[in-house]
Amino acid sequence: MKLIQNLAEWHALRSDIPNHARIGFVPTMGNLHRGHQSLFERSIRENDLSVASIFINPTQFNREDDFINYPKTLSEDLDLLDSLGVDY
């Protein structure tokens, strides 16, 4: 699995992917669980490439302490994505 840290990296990489390639995209806020896993498995089955995003969006929380206390499990999330065969 290739890790992409910013939009510029994605644009550079995307320019090398053939236009006819089907790309599945699963946006998440991390803290991945079995429900996420099923989405990734489907994306892998139905597409040529699968892309995950992990972004904990502070605007989705009503209270700042909810955002601060949201579980941050990046290492475990990346391990799961890699084990499933997610491409990016």
Side-chain angles (χ1 to χ4, degrees):
M1 181 175 68
K2 173 139 176 68
L3 216 52
I4 300 165
Q5 299 293 328
N6 58 57
L7 195 54
E9 283 182 55
W10 170 250
H11 284 187
L13 184 139
R14 179 62 181 99
S15 67
D16 291 333
I17 297 172
N19 287 335
H20 66 273
R22 294 174 307 177
I23 301 173
F25 176 62
V26 181
T28 78
M29 291 201 330
N31 195 32
L32 303 180
H33 51 70
R34 183 78 180 116
H36 291 106
Q37 182 175 333
S38 68
L39 294 172
F40 292 116
E41 290 168 344
R42 182 172 181 175
S43 177
I44 290 165
R45 272 193 320 272
E46 295 180 358
N47 297 286
D48 301 312
L49 298 169
S50 289
V51 178
S53 72
I54 297 175
F55 174 65
I56 304 171
N57 185 351
T59 65
Q60 290 191 225
F61 296 86
N62 291 330
R63 297 182 2 212
E64 184 177 348
D65 60 322
D66 286 343
F67 170 69
I68 291 168
N69 293 314
Y70 188 82
K72 290 149 186 87
T73 57
L74 183 60
S75 180
E76 295 88 347
D77 293 346
L78 294 175
D79 287 346
L80 174 64
L81 296 171
D82 191 42
S83 74
L84 293 171
V86 172
D87 299 290
Y88 303 101

